[in-house]
Amino acid sequence: MIEVVTELAANVWQLRCSVGDELAEGDEIAVLESMKMEIPITAPQACRVAELLVAPNDAVDEGAVVARIEPR
């Protein structure tokens, strides 16, 4: 299982997938918002989404786990 983490403190604006979804490398998992900028969080490799640990409007710190994925 791989943990996908944030690179900065921000607010979760949107989730772009659901638990169980199959994603390709580079597909968006979530979009963060910080200082009116949108920052996508993407899948580092082809995977299945095992768990989403955030919801829209959540505030997250740098290094927060957004999702857990299972490689395909």
Side-chain angles (χ1 to χ4, degrees):
M1 188 106 32
I2 298 170
E3 292 185 335
V4 180
V5 299
T6 63
E7 295 185 12
L8 69 155
N11 292 314
V12 178
W13 183 52
Q14 292 180 334
L15 293 178
R16 300 284 190 151
C17 62
S18 301
V19 172
D21 285 357
E22 298 283 333
L23 303 178
E25 181 178 344
D27 285 353
E28 289 185 352
I29 295 171
V31 179
L32 305 180
E33 183 275 325
S34 180
M35 297 172 42
K36 301 193 187 225
M37 293 179 58
E38 295 178 17
I39 302 104
I41 303 295
T42 59
Q45 64 188 72
C47 63
R48 185 183 72 77
V49 179
E51 188 176 4
L52 291 169
L53 302 169
V54 296
N57 300 316
D58 284 356
V60 294
D61 293 322
E62 181 179 344
V65 179
V66 172
R68 291 190 176 102
I69 59 173
E70 297 174 344
R72 282 195 273 156

